[in-house]
Amino acid sequence: MNPYVLTALLSSLGLGTTLTFASSHWLLAWMGLEINTLAIIPLMAQHHHPRAVEATTKYFLTQAAAAAMILFASTTNAWLTGGWDMNDMSSPIASAMVIAALALKIGLAPMHFWMPEVLQGLDLLTGLILSTWQKLAPLALIVQTAQAIDPLLLTTLGVMSTLVGGWGGLNQTQLRKILAYSSIAHMGWMIIILQYAPQLTLLALLMYIFMTSSAFLTLKASSSTKIGTLATIWSKSPILTTAAALVLLSLGGLPPLTGFMPKWLILQELAKQGLPLLATVMALAALLSLYFYLRLCYAMTLTISPHTNTFITPWRVQTTQFSFPLALSTVVALGLLPMAPAIVMLV
């Protein structure tokens, strides 16, 4: 893609998200979401491949439906309350429509069906943008309007997303689909705690961005898109393979890795709020996700020398990928747990 066009599109992505962050008016927020959607579509369709075009079309249709629903809900709210202010969501119908539309935007269950299919059709870097940056603006709107939304609805969305994210990834062989279900499960963790401790939602989002960035950039560096190809990446870079296995375990939430911190704090907060049953369900749902991360680690480590390998070992070629973002995100995804007390004091 032409560098000037790429710069314009990435700038538009930043502008759309910033506009949504900064707005307290529904029309401005809607405009930011639309700029965001229209900026990423050329990036998704840049590889003229039928699967990429199909993924782009599916993404456009779902995002357009969600944007139309947000516009309808905000118009209904303005009609009932006489204002477009985001903090004045006194109509239960309008607030329910808004949360449904925003859940569709970020792929919360049961509005998640587009997410694995779309991510599967994209290249890894565009998939990374879709899994991280594109979640920011809708999540900011959910955080701003959370107090007006029925707590039972938020809890239901959170539990369903965590369970679906765990169950859905169990039988997948495509790594992008596995990361899509991982994203759905992590969004569930963020939504479940939103009504009790919004700062923990932001912490979980930050940790999720670092861990997912590290996973996607590792797959990009090793050119892996299927579980089968994971079995051969040790021959290219043994250190990267070790780091990738640890990053996947961090995504699953195992101590002493960074991914354990948000899950631990969220379960602690749920127990403090007098919801031990909900905390138990969330912990068990995390085990489902952990299983498919362990599957990936097993595929990576089982074939490490001196064990036999049934796959053709690829050539070791010099990578041209800029490695600093991968190194930074991997360090953060693996080593932040000892700083948990300081982070808790900050949030």
Side-chain angles (χ1 to χ4, degrees), residues 43-286:
L43 293 173
M44 295 170 79
Q46 63 180 318
H47 302 290
H48 300 292
H49 188 277
R51 191 165 286 170
V53 174
E54 181 190 338
T56 308
T57 309
K58 284 177 179 173
Y59 182 75
F60 175 73
L61 291 174
T62 51
Q63 299 298 306
M69 208 189 300
I70 288 171
L71 200 56
F72 179 55
S74 55
T75 310
T76 307
N77 189 63
W79 180 38
L80 292 171
T81 62
W84 290 88
D85 192 8
M86 236 178 253
N87 300 316
D88 187 19
M89 293 289 292
S90 52
S91 163
I93 298 170
S95 58
M97 278 195 292
V98 162
I99 190 63
L102 293 171
L104 180 59
K105 278 263 181 200
I106 61 172
L108 282 174
M111 284 77 81
H112 67 284
F113 294 99
W114 63 271
M115 180 87 183
E117 299 300 323
V118 167
L119 208 58
Q120 178 58 28
L122 305 178
D123 69 301
L124 288 164
L125 286 183
T126 315
L128 171 60
I129 294 172
L130 184 68
S131 301
T132 54
W133 187 263
Q134 291 297 94
K135 309 277 188 191
L136 296 180
L139 263 173
L141 294 181
I142 292 176
V143 169
Q144 283 186 37
T145 56
Q147 301 310 315
I149 297 163
D150 182 15
L152 183 61
L153 183 58
L154 282 176
T155 305
T156 308
L157 284 171
V159 172
M160 279 189 73
S161 298
T162 317
L163 288 171
V164 165
W167 278 116
L170 290 180
N171 62 343
Q172 300 297 331
T173 57
Q174 298 287 338
L175 297 179
R176 283 167 293 188
K177 280 194 175 180
I178 287 176
L179 286 170
Y181 282 110
S182 160
S183 173
I184 293 164
H186 278 90
M187 288 296 133
W189 280 90
M190 291 172 215
I191 294 299
I192 199 87
I193 200 64
L194 180 57
Q195 54 199 319
Y196 307 113
Q199 67 274 20
L200 287 184
T201 297
L202 299 179
L203 175 67
L205 175 63
L206 197 61
M207 296 301 110
Y208 161 77
I209 286 172
F210 278 115
M211 292 185 293
T212 305
S213 301
S214 181
F216 269 101
L217 292 171
T218 304
L219 297 180
K220 178 80 171 65
S222 58
S223 304
S224 302
T225 53
K226 295 192 287 291
I227 290 184
T229 52
L230 278 182
T232 61
I233 67 170
W234 66 266
S235 65
K236 286 184 181 179
S237 175
I239 296 172
L240 187 65
T241 309
T242 309
L246 290 172
V247 165
L248 289 169
L249 292 177
S250 184
L251 271 167
L254 277 189
L257 304 167
T258 302
F260 176 64
M261 178 171 46
K263 286 186 169 64
W264 165 42
L265 294 173
I266 288 170
L267 291 176
Q268 188 180 22
E269 184 63 33
L270 287 173
K272 274 185 192 171
Q273 296 290 337
L275 300 164
L277 184 62
L278 187 57
T280 308
V281 170
M282 294 297 286
L284 291 174

